[in-house]
Each structure stands twice: as structure tokens, then as C-alpha cells.
Amino acid sequence: MSKKNLIVIGNGMVGHHFLEQFADTPGAANYHITVFGEEPLLAYDRVHLSEYFGEATHADLALGTADWYRDNHIDLRLNEQVTAIDRQHQRVTTPQGQYPYDELVLATGSYPFVPPIEGNDQPHCLVYRTLADLDAIRASADGVKTGVVVGGGLLGLEAANALKSLGLEAHVVEFAPRLMPVQLDSDGGAVLKQKIVDLGVQVHTEKATQSIVPGGQARLRMNFNDDSHLETDLIVFSAGIRPQDALARSAELVIGERGGIVVNNQCTTSDPHIHAIGECALWEQRIYGLVAPGYTMARTLAACLNGDAEAAFTGADMSTKLKLLGVDVGSIGDAHGQTPGARNIRFNDEAAGHYRRMVISADGKTLLGAILVGDNGPYDTLLQYALNGIKLPDHPETLILPESEGGAPALGPDALPDTAAICSCHNVTKGDICSAIDAGCSDLAGIKSGTKASTGCGGCAALLKNVVDNELEKRGVEVSKDLCEHFPYSRQELFHLVKVNGIRTFDTLIEQHGKGRGCDICKPTVGSILATCWNEHILATDHVPLQDTNDTFMANMQKNGTYSIVPRIPGGEITPDKLIVLGQVAKDYGLYTKITGGQRVDLFGATLSELPEIWERLIAAGFETGHAYGKSLRTVKSCVGSTWCRYGVQDSVGMAIRLEDRYKGLRSPHKIKFAVSGCTRECAEAQSKDIGVIATENGWNLYVCGNGGMRPRHADLFATDLNDDELIRTIDRVLMFYVRTGDRLQRTSVWLENLEGGLAYLKEVILNDSLGLGEELEAHIGDIVGTYQCEWKTVVEDPEKRKRFREFVNDERKDPVQHWVEERGQRRPAATETVEEMA
Amino acid sequence: MSQQKQWQTVCETADLVANSGIAVWTPAGPVAVFYCPDETPSLYAIGHFDPIGNANVLARGIVGDIKGEPVVASPLYKQHYSLLSGQCLEDASVKVPTYAVQLDGDQVQVAVHAGQREECAA
């Protein structure tokens, strides 16, 4: 069956969410999917747009990756604007060509409304919606003093925050008598205004701008209807949004009176093959300008395209919880008390700047709405009362009173019904979470990846954790930190037992603190701990049975039972003579040869018995083991630095070699990667490493706990302008603290994320020595450095240890199941199917 | 075809590695011999071939127990095989052969059936 064509116009948050949802459904297989994005960038998170003026880049804000689109066979066409829809022939036109569709999804979003003010089209009159808009604002703000945002709503205050973070004196001009008129009442607006003024943003309410003319002191002058005026260097219009319905209009789809593509409950427009979702869609005379309802539409449409006759969009909750300029603002349900008979409870602490209002049904039994300013603490509880119609307590005022005044503690997760929506972005209910737990999920991370809860805006993170912990507890799941069935301890606890009691063998440890024989979880873990504590050879008789095969044979096992060899090449620097040795050895043993990502050479396909012979030759040529097999330091990648590079400001190769030599062989909870860049251009990609060092004019900046791989994480800046010795002392402490407290197979990135107190705490411990551990950590590293031995050298020189490297102890034959084929001039293992044919 | 047990000497005790495995070649193909000096029995022999990873590697796995059952974990994909029955604990349909094993002085002997060779990977 040939596939039908599904075209999505718009690659914003909702368009992307639709694709994510749809790609996961069986129906996706029936379609060839093409998506057009007007912007040159992949869909990104507009909710957190102002972070772009902080540290965030497009990559941080991006919602998906080009790889994801490719893996899901979605043809992603960015920077290609659809200019027309031909409904009769079912095709769309772009400047690049014409594309047929069977089903068309409009996710064109909205555009900022610019009020019709005379002079609003001159330079430095800007809007706030896309990253390109933000770049324009940044350019306009360069070297000037003042910026004005027109519009005191949610987006306007976000924009004011953006101007403030650019160092401008920021003003907000609002037509209504208060800020956030949609979400707040006048008292709430007043508290918010005071808080924002205290933060240095000037707020002008009840001002209508009549004209914008050239200014005297600044670039522009805004004239208001009350004859006052304001001078400013730039103006950002953020006075609301309008649905982007131009394409739909020219295709003569039914459009609402005030704009918006009219859709039914299935998100289908007046043309049965055209659908609209998100801010461009008009449902029951409403445009939803928030992301959660857009996501709900996206899910509905994905279900409809799978033939789900029940799927329907039936409106969405518009409650919001925000932090605007650092001020908490929450608005729930019928915040203005428009329900007939509604009654109010208000709490207003002007001194603290806390305003809370509950709107209660006429019978006093249910919560209809609420407003919070200054502290969103009660938000989650109130939202659950409102959404689920939970009966209010006898004294509902306790829900918003401070606890010192007899306020009730938050609504326990137990009180929530199974239908309670915990995560509204991904529509995950408490029931969904319970099912995931019943299906075997036993930790927060698993719940998050399984249900997607709390992976949207993240606002429900605390509530989710409460629910998960509570449900696990109810099921009698002690949130176990036991390493395995043999040891009722975490890795960190075992480390302490070993260190404090001076335990030097696995047998002693399991006899005193565990039970049974051990297993493939606890043995390597204890092996690693023993290595860190006492640094004895990993193949000492007592330690041999603890090691994973890679450690046992000090090479990396490949799929056919052969091994690969990675000699250490510190900092990636290698002499031609040594390179020739590697080539010659590889040639003599027929080893497949590949350059690794860590600036080393990997030689594949050595059999067990060949390993010691190969290492004999490598050691003779001056190589050392590279520990590519161990949970230990892998490489210190470097760029060429000041010794060659025109831009380098420090000797990055020299530092990389020094670091690699210092930490080589250190056993740790998981592998550790370093990199050193010689200047801020960062060619060594240090910010994706566990330990990243970037040269500055004055020394070195240290970044910690980055990661590439499956879950990339940018390293955090930890200390700046360190000299060589300070750098090494700081790394000594960070590494040792990680090695002592990390969990089994926990990379530094996850370790930091799970460390209570996070980066700030780590800085306290390492830089300010708040635990008084500094000297001990440094001394421990010193011991390890002092007792380093090349593990392979020791083995090659010991005939007893070499005996271990026999394929078959009673026979010199080669392993009969290893089959090889040649590819691109080298040999590789034959695929299983090929082997079967050969057999 | 005879199903007579034949004791084959495969190595000496000095070749064994305590709490770990070694691989030997027998007429029935590659066999993994594990030695746990503090346990009873202290010797186990199972097929060396890992039917899930399709490679001769089981002797190189970590020896331990799962709820008391002595096992070896495949070094390739970490499935556990019972040292007593050869049963894969993660997949009921997968089993590796097991062999009787004994000490005769310092000789380690494995019992293989004549004719067993044809059934095994070699």
C-alpha cells in the first residue's frame, strides 16, 4: 500500500508536540509526513524564551532534534514558508515547490498584536515572540539605556524581564488599570505592581499611547492620552496575540469574526482534510494562548487521525502558575468570581507582598477559582481542589492562611482522586502514575520517562514527586537504595564500610556486611571501591573474580567475544614513531583500526591469547594501558592550544597531559571524561565532559558534571581564573567527592542532579570546604597517584597472570565461532546471518 | 550412538581460577568450568557458548548467586545462567548444556557423552 501524505505547516511547540504524539501511534506508519517551518530553527520552547538572554541557547530551548525527525522518517523542511493551499488539488505551495497532501495540519500559531499607534513602524519598535525577535531586541539594546514594553500581561512582563536582563532600565506601559488584567483582580494587580516596581521596573498603568515620535534624550518619545510622555530607546509590543490565519483565509476556510481558524471538537476545519491546532485554531469562539490547551488539541488530533471516534477537544483549563520577574503569580479557574453566587475569601499581607484569593461556590463546598500573588505555595493544592471538585474542608480559609495562622498543610496526594491531572502539559493523571507504578516502575525517573509527566513546563515536579513517593510507600515499596540482594547498603555506604573498617577483600566485606556469594552487580562495584580505597592491582588473586570481563582482561569485549585495545595517548598527543608502532601491531594481528572520539586509536578484533603479546609490543614502544575497559578516567581531550594555535591563550595540551597523567587509573562509579580547551572557542568541547577546563587570559575556568552521550548535559561553570595548582587541587576534591558519594554507574551529571543542594552545595563543599573534607580528599588522591601502576605492564611481566589469557586452557586452537568478512579494506565480524550461511 | 559417560581430563587444578571460570576444549566442544572453593559443590561445568550473544564467552562471566541459585552472568548481555541446570533465568526458552565435573587428584575431569559433539556448536 502506498503511503498517504500528511503535511504539517508550522514547527512551533504545538506542531512539534503533535508530531511527537502522532509518531508514537500505529497510524503514523500509514503516512509520509512532511513538516514546514517558516523559521530556520527547530521547534523551541517559547514559554522559557526570556532565558535566551541569560545562559540559554537555541539548543537549550529546542524541543526536539534533527535526529529525532530523521529517526521517525519525518521530512523536516525549515526555513520554507508555505505560501498557498490549493484545496481542490490537495496540495501546498512553497517557494521551493508543490507538495500533495491527503491530510493537512495547520499549526501556524499566532503573531504579536501591535496596537494601531501612529509611528509604530519605525526602527526600534519591536515584538517579542521568536528567537529572531530576541536577537533584534538584543541588537537594538546594545549601548542604550531605556526600554519600554507595551502591554502588562503575562508576555509583557516576560518581555520586561528580558529587557532588564539586557541591562536596560525597563518600563511597562499598560492600558488597563492593573497588571495582568486577565488573570488578576485589582488587589492582586496592585501587589504585583508593587513587587515589580521594587525590582526596578517602572510600571505605568491606565496609559494609552497615542503616538510614537523621535525623542530628544532618547531615540523615541511616546505620547500618552493624558498628555504625559515617556522617552525610550526601544519599544517592545507585547499587547496580546492574534491567530496566524492568513494561509487559511486565502484558502477560504471558515474564519472567526475576530480571526482564528474555526475548528470542531476533532480539531478539523471547514475542510474535512484540513485540521488546525494551537493558537491559530478557534474553538467555540475561543483562542487558547497557552501551551497546555495546544498540546491537548495536538493529542486529540493525533488520536482522530488514528480513527479514534471518541477523541474530542472539549476545552481546557486556563489556570496558570508563573514566575514573572521572580514574582510568583497564580490564577486558577474562575479567578474573578463570575459564577453566580460565588463568594470570596481574601488574604492580603501587604508587608510581605502576599495576596491570596479563593472563589468558592455558593454552597461553600467547592473551589471555583483562585488568585495568588507573591507566593505560589498553595497553588498545587488549590488547583487540585478546583479541577477535581474536591469538597473543601470546614474552614476553607485555612488553605490560604499562613501556617502560623492555623493554615492547613498542603492537600496530601492521598486526597487526590485517580482522575486528578498531575501534569497538564502531557495530560498525565494520578491514575496514569499509579498504573505505571503497578506495571513495575519504581522510581521518579522511570515514571517521568514512562509517562512524560513533568517533562513539559515542569511546573508539577514537586507534586509529581509527592504522588510517586506516596504511592510507592502505600505499596510497601521501601524506596530501596540497596545495591543488590547481597548487600543492604548503597554504594556510598559500602564505600564507608570499606574505608572505615579497612576492609581489603570482597570475601571479608560480604562475610561481615552481606550475604550469599555476590553477583554481577555487587562484585564489580566492590571491586571498584576496593581499587579506589587501596589501589591494589585489579587482577590480584582476590580481585580477579570481581571484575567485569573488560576489567578482567583489560580490554573491551566486542560482540563476537574478541577484544579491542586502546592504549593511552595522553591529551591526544602522539609521536610519529608511536603511531607507526600502532599501525604495525594492527597490521601484524589483522586488527580493525578506528580513531575514537577521545583522540585515541582503538584496535579491534584481538583474541584473548593475543592480548598479552600485543601489549608486550605496545609497552616496549612506551605505551601504557588506556583504561578504556574500566570505570575510570578515559581521556583528557585537548585542542592544540597556545603552542600552535593563533587564538590559544594557554597550553591546553600540556595541561591535558598533566591531568591525564594524574588521574589515570582512578577507579570511580562510572567512566570519567575530561577535556581542556586552549581558549574560549572551546574546540575540545570541554563543556560536554565530566571535568571541562577552558583557558582564560588569566588561567583556567573549570566546568563540572557535563555529559555527552544518551542524555547530554552542559557542564556547570564551577570556578574561574584558577592557576595550574588551584585547578588541580579543585579537580582533586571534586573527583574524590564524586568517587566517594556517587552511586553505582552514576555519571557525574546525574550525581550532581541528585546531590541535595545541587551545584551551590558542591561549591560549598569543594571551594569553601564546608565539610572540612578538603585535605582528606586531596591526600586520598595523592595516595592513588603515588601507587599508580600500568596494569598491563604488571600482567605482561607475570607468567601466572598471563595464563589467564588462554582461549582454552587445554588447547591452542582458535575460537571456532569467530567468522570474519572484509569491509573497506579491513576485517570485521561477520553478521550472524552470514555466519549461518557459512556454517 | 553411545550415550556412555566418558570422563575427559580437561586441565589441572592449577589452571582453575577461584570464584571464576576458565574455558576448556572437549570432544563436545567448548566448555566453561567454574571453581568456587568455598561452596559445595565447588566445581561446575556448562557450555561456554552464549546462545544469546552467539559467542564463546560464558567462562569469562562473573560468578555469583541469584536468590541462592549459583549463576554466571554472560559478559556480553548480562543474562544469568544457572550453573546447576544451565537454564537462562531471564528467558525460559534458553538453556545451555551442563556437564558433570569431578576431581581426580589434581586432574579436572568433565563427563561428555560420546556423540554429543554433533549437537554442539563447534
Side-chain angles (χ1 to χ4, degrees):
Chain A
M1 188 184 85
S2 75
K3 288 192 177 188
K4 293 192 279 185
N5 288 305
L6 172 70
I7 288 183
V8 179
I9 304 179
N11 190 228
M13 296 182 77
V14 172
H16 176 76
H17 190 78
F18 166 74
L19 291 170
E20 274 194 338
Q21 298 294 319
F22 188 63
D24 270 351
T25 64
N30 301 332
Y31 288 97
H32 175 257
I33 306 174
T34 307
V35 53
F36 293 95
E38 186 183 353
E39 290 182 61
L41 299 169
L42 260 175
Y44 51 85
D45 182 354
R46 290 189 214 275
V47 176
H48 297 101
L49 207 54
S50 65
E51 290 172 16
Y52 188 61
F53 284 152
E55 306 228 316
T57 62
H58 168 252
D60 298 321
L61 295 173
L63 297 172
T65 62
D67 284 349
W68 182 85
Y69 280 85
R70 197 168 50 239
D71 294 347
N72 285 282
H73 311 291
I74 297 171
D75 189 8
L76 175 66
R77 295 176 165 269
L78 295 176
N79 218 356
E80 183 167 348
Q81 186 181 6
V82 175
T83 52
I85 301 168
D86 177 349
R87 287 169 54 194
Q88 196 189 342
H89 299 101
Q90 297 201 177
R91 65 190 178 203
V92 302
T93 306
T94 77
Q96 276 78 25
Q98 288 193 324
Y99 304 83
Y101 68 82
D102 296 288
E103 300 293 333
L104 179 64
V105 179
L106 303 174
T108 47
S110 63
Y111 61 91
F113 169 64
V114 177
I117 298 166
E118 186 192 327
N120 67 8
D121 53 353
Q122 48 195 315
H124 305 290
C125 289
L126 306 160
V127 293
Y128 179 85
R129 174 158 180 93
T130 65
L131 288 180
D133 294 337
L134 265 63
D135 287 334
I137 293 173
R138 198 199 305 258
S140 175
D142 189 32
V144 298
K145 239 181 67 193
T146 315
V148 168
V149 175
V150 176
L154 193 162
L155 276 174
L157 295 178
E158 274 281 312
N161 190 31
L163 294 188
K164 194 166 162 274
S165 57
L166 286 173
L168 295 184
E169 178 191 315
H171 297 254
V172 173
V173 174
E174 168 59 46
F175 176 74
R178 60 175 185 274
L179 292 174
M180 297 188 70
V182 179
Q183 291 88 358
L184 301 184
D185 58 11
S186 56
D187 285 348
V191 171
L192 178 62
K193 178 176 175 180
Q194 188 54 50
K195 289 220 147 206
I196 286 176
V197 169
D198 289 347
L199 289 164
V201 174
Q202 306 206 33
V203 179
H204 314 267
T205 46
E206 282 185 278
K207 294 266 184 205
T209 314
Q210 283 190 323
S211 65
I212 301 167
V213 297
Q217 313 297 315
R219 288 172 182 154
L220 303 167
R221 170 181 162 134
M222 302 169 75
N223 293 317
F224 300 119
N225 56 344
D226 58 2
D227 290 337
S228 62
H229 69 269
L230 180 61
E231 295 229 334
T232 178
D233 294 303
L234 64 103
I235 299 172
V236 177
F237 290 103
S238 187
I241 55 161
R242 292 293 179 268
Q244 183 54 273
D245 54 15
L247 261 182
R249 268 179 206 275
S250 49
E252 297 184 338
L253 293 173
V254 175
I255 303 292
E257 255 174 58
R258 279 178 290 170
I261 308 161
V262 173
V263 296
N264 62 17
N265 288 2
Q266 281 66 45
C267 298
T268 299
T269 68
S270 52
D271 180 324
H273 295 291
I274 304 184
H275 318 276
I277 50 178
E279 292 176 337
C280 64
L282 183 72
W283 179 86
E284 300 272 319
Q285 298 300 319
R286 282 195 80 160
I287 294 281
Y288 287 95
L290 292 178
V291 71
Y295 281 4
T296 307
M297 290 184 188
R299 278 193 299 273
T300 305
L301 180 58
C304 291
L305 289 176
N306 273 279
D308 180 348
E310 308 269 291
F313 177 78
T314 52
D317 175 52
M318 292 294 279
S319 302
T320 39
K321 174 167 103 170
L322 305 152
K323 212 179 226 343
L324 291 167
L325 293 139
V327 182
D328 278 350
V329 177
S331 173
I332 293 172
D334 179 12
H336 295 291
Q338 285 159 346
T339 311
R343 297 182 299 184
N344 292 289
I345 301 176
R346 289 191 176 88
F347 170 80
N348 195 350
D349 179 347
E350 288 181 358
H354 291 172
Y355 175 73
R356 295 165 181 176
R357 170 181 176 180
M358 291 164 71
V359 179
I360 290 174
S361 62
D363 60 8
K365 285 189 176 152
T366 51
L367 182 69
L368 302 172
I371 291 173
L372 298 169
V373 179
D375 176 15
N376 271 340
Y379 181 90
D380 289 342
T381 300
L382 294 176
L383 181 67
Q384 294 301 335
Y385 272 108
L387 286 183
N388 299 300
I390 299 171
K391 187 180 170 300
L392 285 167
D394 289 343
H395 297 281
E397 68 277 9
T398 54
L399 293 175
I400 54 170
L401 282 177
E403 279 189 49
S404 58
E405 296 297 321
L411 184 62
D414 246 350
L416 298 176
D418 275 355
T419 51
I422 305 300
C423 168
S424 53
C425 292
H426 291 279
N427 193 27
V428 184
T429 62
K430 180 178 161 191
D432 296 334
I433 291 164
C434 294
S435 320
I437 291 173
D438 290 336
C441 222
S442 60
D443 60 8
L444 192 59
I447 301 280
K448 279 167 111 172
S449 66
T451 64
K452 293 198 166 177
S454 196
T455 60
C457 70
C460 62
L463 179 63
L464 177 68
K465 184 173 187 310
N466 271 338
V467 170
V468 171
D469 286 353
N470 180 61
E471 290 302 318
L472 285 175
E473 229 164 76
K474 263 170 45 187
R475 283 163 179 71
V477 180
E478 213 175 295
V479 185
S480 169
K481 291 200 166 147
D482 294 0
L483 190 62
C484 66
E485 65 179 78
H486 304 103
F487 287 102
Y489 299 102
S490 68
R491 181 186 179 278
Q492 184 179 349
E493 288 164 339
L494 284 178
F495 193 101
H496 287 156
L497 289 172
V498 167
K499 184 88 187 158
V500 172
N501 300 320
I503 293 172
R504 298 182 90 98
T505 67
F506 179 82
D507 287 350
T508 316
L509 185 68
I510 200 163
E511 199 175 293
Q512 293 180 3
H513 301 285
K515 63 172 199 290
R517 307 178 183 207
C519 66
D520 53 312
I521 306 287
C522 58
K523 283 184 169 181
T525 305
V526 172
S528 164
I529 292 172
L530 292 170
T532 309
C533 285
W534 319 118
N535 212 23
E536 293 170 347
H537 197 283
I538 54 166
L539 297 192
T541 314
D542 283 335
H543 305 327
V544 166
L546 307 182
Q547 315 296 344
D548 263 319
T549 191
N550 285 357
D551 273 300
T552 310
F553 299 107
M554 299 185 298
N556 292 43
M557 183 182 272
Q558 303 299 326
K559 60 193 272 186
N560 65 348
T562 63
Y563 291 86
S564 82
I565 297 168
V566 188
R568 189 166 292 290
I569 300 179
E573 183 186 77
I574 185 165
T575 63
D577 281 339
K578 278 184 144 180
L579 205 48
I580 289 168
V581 171
L582 290 183
Q584 195 58 52
V585 167
K587 207 168 162 182
D588 292 351
Y589 286 87
L591 304 177
Y592 169 88
T593 305
K594 192 173 187 304
I595 307 294
T596 71
Q599 301 185 332
R600 318 205 271 189
V601 181
D602 205 341
L603 310 173
F604 288 79
T607 62
L608 204 52
S609 51
E610 287 169 346
L611 288 173
E613 300 168 21
I614 291 172
W615 270 106
E616 209 159 25
R617 289 179 57 178
L618 293 174
I619 287 165
F623 284 103
E624 284 187 327
T625 182
H627 296 100
Y629 46 82
K631 306 293 178 227
S632 56
L633 174 71
R634 295 288 168 85
T635 70
V636 182
K637 186 175 173 177
S638 70
C639 70
V640 81
S642 59
T643 41
W644 285 90
C645 177
R646 285 176 292 149
Y647 305 109
V649 292
Q650 302 286 349
D651 175 13
S652 47
V653 179
M655 179 51 79
I657 293 173
R658 185 168 166 194
L659 293 175
E660 187 155 344
D661 274 334
R662 181 167 183 81
Y663 302 113
K664 65 188 177 190
L666 170 68
R667 281 333 205 251
S668 52
H670 210 311
K671 61 186 172 188
I672 309 175
K673 297 180 176 184
F674 281 34
V676 183
S677 277
C679 79
T680 179
R681 283 173 178 75
E682 242 287 66
C683 296
E685 298 164 339
Q687 289 167 94
S688 65
K689 305 297 184 201
D690 298 281
I691 297 287
V693 178
I694 301 178
T696 69
E697 296 283 347
N698 309 312
W700 307 97
N701 282 353
L702 173 63
Y703 291 77
V704 299
C705 305
N707 199 0
M710 184 165 71
R711 205 166 66 89
R713 179 180 192 277
H714 256 258
D716 288 303
L717 180 60
F718 194 70
T720 53
D721 289 335
L722 303 172
N723 67 31
D724 289 9
D725 291 338
E726 288 167 344
L727 175 69
I728 284 173
R729 195 167 63 236
T730 312
I731 297 176
D732 277 358
R733 290 182 176 191
V734 173
L735 275 189
M736 217 50 230
F737 193 56
Y738 161 62
V739 167
R740 286 184 172 203
T741 60
D743 211 345
R744 171 182 169 267
L745 298 186
Q746 189 177 46
R747 291 290 297 268
T748 55
S749 54
V750 180
W751 170 68
L752 179 63
E753 281 165 12
N754 284 295
L755 198 62
E756 218 166 295
L759 185 67
Y761 173 72
L762 187 61
K763 283 184 175 173
E764 276 300 305
V765 172
I766 302 301
L767 301 176
N768 300 331
D769 201 7
S770 62
L771 300 180
L773 275 176
E775 265 180 48
E776 189 187 329
L777 296 174
E778 287 169 35
H780 190 170
I781 280 272
D783 286 346
I784 291 172
V785 173
T787 52
Y788 171 81
Q789 51 181 322
C790 169
E791 293 155 0
W792 260 114
K793 187 161 186 287
T794 318
V795 166
V796 163
E797 289 166 356
D798 182 343
E800 271 307 304
K801 288 200 165 76
R802 280 182 79 144
K803 277 171 64 180
R804 191 95 170 89
F805 292 82
R806 292 176 291 178
E807 223 91 80
F808 303 107
V809 302
N810 60 344
D811 200 306
E812 293 201 351
R813 78 178 68 209
K814 294 274 179 200
D815 185 340
V817 299
Q818 286 161 7
H819 299 280
W820 303 96
V821 292
E822 199 172 290
E823 187 173 65
R824 294 185 292 276
Q826 301 202 68
R827 68 167 197 169
R828 65 157 174 83
T832 318
E833 336 41 288
T834 327
V835 173
E836 277 159 11
E837 278 166 29
M838 289 160 81
Chain B
M1 196 183 297
S2 163
Q3 287 293 304
Q4 201 82 50
K5 233 183 215 181
Q6 289 180 8
W7 289 106
Q8 284 276 331
T9 296
V10 290
C11 62
E12 299 180 350
T13 46
D15 293 314
L16 297 170
V17 181
N19 297 310
S20 187
I22 52 155
V24 297
W25 187 261
T26 75
V31 170
V33 179
F34 298 93
Y35 176 46
C36 304
D38 303 330
E39 309 285 334
T40 321
S42 59
L43 281 173
Y44 304 88
I46 66 171
H48 183 38
F49 186 76
D50 174 357
I52 294 175
N54 282 313
N56 281 317
V57 293
L58 289 185
R60 300 179 221 156
I62 290 181
V63 177
D65 79 277
I66 299 290
K67 302 200 169 67
E69 176 98 359
V71 294
V72 61
S74 163
L76 277 170
Y77 301 110
K78 316 298 177 194
Q79 292 88 0
H80 299 93
Y81 293 92
S82 166
L83 296 182
L84 296 171
S85 65
Q87 180 60 51
C88 171
L89 303 192
E90 283 80 12
D91 184 342
S93 68
V94 175
K95 200 169 177 172
V96 297
T98 55
Y99 305 92
V101 56
Q102 68 175 22
L103 275 184
D104 181 6
D106 61 353
Q107 307 282 299
V108 179
Q109 299 182 324
V110 173
V112 291
H113 298 301
Q116 202 166 7
R117 177 168 187 177
E118 286 78 12
E119 301 161 22
C120 289

